Amino acid sequence: MNTLVPHPDQMYIEGLASNNSGVIQSIYKKFVPKVIHYIRNNSGNEDQAQDVVQEVLVVLFDQAKANKLVLTCPFDAYFFLLCKRKWLNELKKTANRGVTIADGFASINESADEMVAQTESFEEKQQLFDAMFQKLGEKCQEVLKWSFTLKSMEEVAEKLGVTYGYVRKKKSLCTGQLTQWIQESSQYQKLK
Protein backbone atom coordinates (compact mmCIF):
# COMPACT_ATOMS: atom_id res chain seq x y z
CA MET A 1 0.00 0.00 0.00
CA ASN A 2 1.31 3.43 -0.99
CA THR A 3 1.59 5.64 2.09
CA LEU A 4 3.41 8.64 0.63
CA VAL A 5 2.41 11.83 2.37
CA PRO A 6 2.42 14.70 -0.12
CA HIS A 7 4.58 17.69 0.75
CA PRO A 8 2.65 20.98 1.09
CA ASP A 9 4.38 22.04 -2.15
CA GLN A 10 2.25 19.43 -3.98
CA MET A 11 0.15 22.48 -4.93
CA TYR A 12 2.78 23.31 -7.56
CA ILE A 13 2.39 19.86 -9.14
CA GLU A 14 -1.40 20.12 -9.06
CA GLY A 15 -1.18 23.62 -10.52
CA LEU A 16 0.96 22.36 -13.38
CA ALA A 17 -1.43 19.47 -14.04
CA SER A 18 -4.38 21.85 -14.24
CA ASN A 19 -2.38 24.40 -16.27
CA ASN A 20 -3.01 27.05 -13.59
CA SER A 21 -1.35 30.22 -14.87
CA GLY A 22 -1.01 31.66 -11.34
CA VAL A 23 0.95 28.62 -10.16
CA ILE A 24 3.09 28.62 -13.31
CA GLN A 25 3.88 32.33 -12.83
CA SER A 26 4.73 31.62 -9.21
CA ILE A 27 7.16 28.88 -10.27
CA TYR A 28 8.82 31.27 -12.72
CA LYS A 29 9.05 34.00 -10.10
CA LYS A 30 10.23 31.90 -7.13
CA PHE A 31 12.28 29.05 -8.58
CA VAL A 32 13.47 29.84 -12.10
CA PRO A 33 15.92 32.66 -11.18
CA LYS A 34 17.97 30.18 -9.11
CA VAL A 35 18.15 27.81 -12.11
CA ILE A 36 19.14 30.61 -14.47
CA HIS A 37 21.84 31.76 -12.05
CA TYR A 38 23.19 28.21 -11.74
CA ILE A 39 23.31 27.57 -15.51
CA ARG A 40 24.90 30.96 -16.23
CA ASN A 41 27.61 30.16 -13.67
CA ASN A 42 28.15 26.74 -15.24
CA SER A 43 29.01 27.37 -18.89
CA GLY A 44 25.53 28.38 -20.01
CA ASN A 45 23.53 31.44 -20.94
CA GLU A 46 20.02 32.77 -20.29
CA ASP A 47 18.49 31.15 -23.41
CA GLN A 48 19.93 27.75 -22.55
CA ALA A 49 18.63 28.12 -18.99
CA GLN A 50 15.15 28.98 -20.26
CA ASP A 51 15.24 25.91 -22.54
CA VAL A 52 16.17 23.67 -19.61
CA VAL A 53 13.39 25.14 -17.46
CA GLN A 54 10.87 24.66 -20.27
CA GLU A 55 11.89 21.03 -20.85
CA VAL A 56 11.68 20.23 -17.14
CA LEU A 57 8.27 21.89 -16.82
CA VAL A 58 6.97 19.84 -19.76
CA VAL A 59 8.16 16.62 -18.12
CA LEU A 60 6.61 17.65 -14.81
CA PHE A 61 3.37 18.54 -16.58
CA ASP A 62 3.27 15.15 -18.33
CA GLN A 63 4.04 13.30 -15.13
CA ALA A 64 1.49 15.31 -13.14
CA LYS A 65 -1.19 14.73 -15.80
CA ALA A 66 -0.49 11.00 -15.59
CA ASN A 67 -1.04 11.25 -11.79
CA LYS A 68 2.42 9.77 -11.29
CA LEU A 69 3.92 12.53 -9.19
CA VAL A 70 3.51 12.85 -5.44
CA LEU A 71 5.90 15.45 -4.09
CA THR A 72 7.59 14.28 -0.88
CA CYS A 73 10.12 17.10 -0.61
CA PRO A 74 10.14 20.86 -1.19
CA PHE A 75 9.38 21.79 -4.80
CA ASP A 76 12.41 24.10 -4.82
CA ALA A 77 14.89 21.27 -4.18
CA TYR A 78 13.16 18.90 -6.59
CA PHE A 79 12.82 21.41 -9.44
CA PHE A 80 16.36 22.71 -9.03
CA LEU A 81 17.85 19.21 -9.02
CA LEU A 82 15.89 18.24 -12.15
CA CYS A 83 17.08 21.36 -13.96
CA LYS A 84 20.65 20.88 -12.75
CA ARG A 85 20.76 17.27 -13.97
CA LYS A 86 19.19 18.23 -17.30
CA TRP A 87 21.85 20.93 -17.74
CA LEU A 88 24.71 18.61 -16.78
CA ASN A 89 23.42 16.06 -19.31
CA GLU A 90 23.37 18.80 -21.96
CA LEU A 91 26.96 19.68 -21.12
CA LYS A 92 27.98 16.02 -21.39
CA LYS A 93 26.32 15.76 -24.81
CA THR A 94 28.19 18.75 -26.15
CA ALA A 95 31.43 17.78 -24.37
CA ASN A 96 31.81 21.38 -23.28
CA ARG A 97 35.24 21.96 -21.83
CA GLY A 98 35.92 24.27 -18.94
CA VAL A 99 32.81 23.36 -16.99
CA THR A 100 32.80 24.71 -13.47
CA ILE A 101 30.18 23.28 -11.18
CA ALA A 102 29.19 25.68 -8.41
CA ASP A 103 27.27 23.30 -6.19
CA GLY A 104 27.32 25.20 -2.92
CA PHE A 105 23.78 26.53 -2.64
CA ALA A 106 21.52 23.58 -3.40
CA SER A 107 19.46 22.32 -0.49
CA ILE A 108 19.04 18.77 -1.73
CA ASN A 109 17.95 15.83 0.36
CA GLU A 110 17.49 12.13 -0.27
CA SER A 111 13.81 12.53 -1.00
CA ALA A 112 14.55 15.00 -3.80
CA ASP A 113 17.22 12.69 -5.26
CA GLU A 114 14.78 9.79 -5.22
CA MET A 115 12.03 11.86 -6.84
CA VAL A 116 14.39 13.13 -9.52
CA ALA A 117 15.37 9.56 -10.36
CA GLN A 118 11.68 8.67 -10.68
CA THR A 119 11.03 11.66 -12.92
CA GLU A 120 14.03 10.88 -15.12
CA SER A 121 12.79 7.29 -15.42
CA PHE A 122 9.31 8.56 -16.33
CA GLU A 123 10.82 10.84 -18.98
CA GLU A 124 12.88 8.00 -20.50
CA LYS A 125 9.80 5.74 -20.62
CA GLN A 126 7.76 8.55 -22.19
CA GLN A 127 10.45 9.11 -24.84
CA LEU A 128 10.52 5.38 -25.65
CA PHE A 129 6.73 5.29 -25.91
CA ASP A 130 6.70 8.38 -28.15
CA ALA A 131 9.40 6.96 -30.45
CA MET A 132 7.58 3.65 -30.87
CA PHE A 133 4.22 5.41 -31.25
CA GLN A 134 5.64 7.39 -34.18
CA LYS A 135 6.49 4.08 -35.92
CA LEU A 136 2.79 3.14 -35.99
CA GLY A 137 0.73 3.83 -39.08
CA GLU A 138 -1.48 6.89 -39.31
CA LYS A 139 -4.73 4.98 -38.60
CA CYS A 140 -3.23 3.27 -35.54
CA GLN A 141 -2.02 6.58 -34.17
CA GLU A 142 -5.42 8.15 -34.75
CA VAL A 143 -7.35 5.31 -33.07
CA LEU A 144 -5.00 5.26 -30.07
CA LYS A 145 -4.93 9.05 -29.66
CA TRP A 146 -8.72 9.20 -29.58
CA SER A 147 -8.97 6.23 -27.24
CA PHE A 148 -6.59 8.01 -24.83
CA THR A 149 -8.75 11.15 -24.75
CA LEU A 150 -12.35 9.96 -25.11
CA LYS A 151 -14.20 8.04 -22.42
CA SER A 152 -15.59 5.15 -24.44
CA MET A 153 -14.83 3.18 -27.56
CA GLU A 154 -18.33 4.07 -28.81
CA GLU A 155 -17.27 7.73 -28.79
CA VAL A 156 -14.05 6.87 -30.64
CA ALA A 157 -16.01 4.94 -33.30
CA GLU A 158 -18.43 7.84 -33.71
CA LYS A 159 -15.59 10.39 -33.91
CA LEU A 160 -13.80 8.36 -36.59
CA GLY A 161 -16.97 7.44 -38.48
CA VAL A 162 -16.37 3.68 -38.20
CA THR A 163 -18.04 0.79 -36.39
CA TYR A 164 -17.51 -0.04 -32.76
CA GLY A 165 -16.19 -3.49 -33.72
CA TYR A 166 -13.60 -1.99 -36.09
CA VAL A 167 -12.34 0.42 -33.42
CA ARG A 168 -12.02 -2.32 -30.79
CA LYS A 169 -10.17 -4.64 -33.18
CA LYS A 170 -7.91 -1.87 -34.51
CA LYS A 171 -7.09 -0.62 -31.00
CA SER A 172 -6.22 -4.15 -29.90
CA LEU A 173 -3.94 -4.73 -32.91
CA CYS A 174 -2.26 -1.35 -32.61
CA THR A 175 -1.74 -1.68 -28.86
CA GLY A 176 -0.27 -5.15 -29.41
CA GLN A 177 2.14 -3.85 -32.08
CA LEU A 178 3.16 -0.88 -29.92
CA THR A 179 3.73 -3.11 -26.89
CA GLN A 180 5.80 -5.55 -28.95
CA TRP A 181 8.03 -2.81 -30.34
CA ILE A 182 8.54 -1.29 -26.90
CA GLN A 183 9.42 -4.64 -25.33
CA GLU A 184 11.81 -5.52 -28.16
CA SER A 185 13.62 -2.21 -27.83
CA SER A 186 17.09 -2.30 -26.28
CA GLN A 187 16.14 0.83 -24.36
CA TYR A 188 13.24 -1.08 -22.74
CA GLN A 189 15.67 -3.66 -21.37
CA LYS A 190 17.69 -0.86 -19.73
CA LEU A 191 14.56 0.69 -18.21
CA LYS A 192 13.37 -2.54 -16.63
Side-chain angles (χ1 to χ4, degrees):
M1 182 173 214
N2 195 352
T3 58
L4 286 179
V5 177
H7 190 277
D9 285 354
Q10 181 72 22
M11 66 175 204
Y12 292 111
I13 303 305
E14 291 164 4
L16 283 170
S18 64
N19 211 9
N20 181 319
S21 62
V23 170
I24 294 169
Q25 285 176 349
S26 179
I27 290 170
Y28 271 93
K29 188 176 180 182
K30 291 181 180 178
F31 308 117
V32 170
K34 181 176 175 180
V35 172
I36 291 171
H37 178 76
Y38 175 81
I39 291 175
R40 288 173 77 187
N41 284 338
N42 289 287
S43 306
N45 61 40
E46 178 109 13
D47 289 339
Q48 291 168 316
Q50 291 292 348
D51 289 346
V52 167
V53 165
Q54 203 59 35
E55 288 175 31
V56 167
L57 285 175
V58 167
V59 170
L60 290 177
F61 172 80
D62 289 344
Q63 195 175 13
K65 288 297 269 185
N67 292 323
K68 302 248 189 231
L69 184 54
V70 177
L71 200 60
T72 58
C73 65
F75 183 82
D76 182 27
Y78 177 58
F79 181 70
F80 180 78
L81 188 55
L82 278 172
C83 291
K84 175 184 165 187
R85 283 194 165 166
K86 172 87 60 195
W87 178 242
L88 293 177
N89 286 336
E90 288 298 315
L91 290 177
K92 277 187 209 167
K93 282 184 205 170
T94 58
N96 194 344
R97 304 285 181 237
V99 176
T100 57
I101 306 301
D103 220 0
F105 64 93
S107 60
I108 315 283
N109 58 31
E110 286 181 35
S111 182
D113 284 337
E114 190 176 310
M115 289 194 64
V116 165
Q118 290 171 1
T119 298
E120 288 173 339
S121 173
F122 176 86
E123 182 179 18
E124 288 172 358
K125 289 174 184 172
Q126 190 66 44
Q127 288 172 348
L128 174 60
F129 175 86
D130 292 344
M132 296 303 133
F133 188 84
Q134 292 306 314
K135 287 176 62 176
L136 291 171
E138 198 174 308
K139 278 292 183 199
C140 273
Q141 288 185 21
E142 188 176 30
V143 166
L144 290 179
K145 280 179 186 175
W146 284 114
S147 67
F148 296 153
T149 56
L150 298 176
K151 290 184 176 143
S152 71
M153 293 309 289
E154 288 88 356
E155 289 178 276
V156 174
E158 186 179 318
K159 188 79 172 167
L160 296 175
V162 296
T163 66
Y164 171 77
Y166 172 83
V167 167
R168 281 197 52 192
K169 178 82 171 162
K170 189 73 172 168
K171 180 183 177 190
S172 176
L173 291 171
C174 296
T175 302
Q177 182 63 67
L178 182 61
T179 302
Q180 179 184 347
W181 284 342
I182 288 171
Q183 289 175 344
E184 289 174 352
S185 164
S186 61
Q187 189 178 356
Y188 176 78
Q189 301 306 322
K190 292 176 199 166
L191 292 173
K192 275 176 88 173

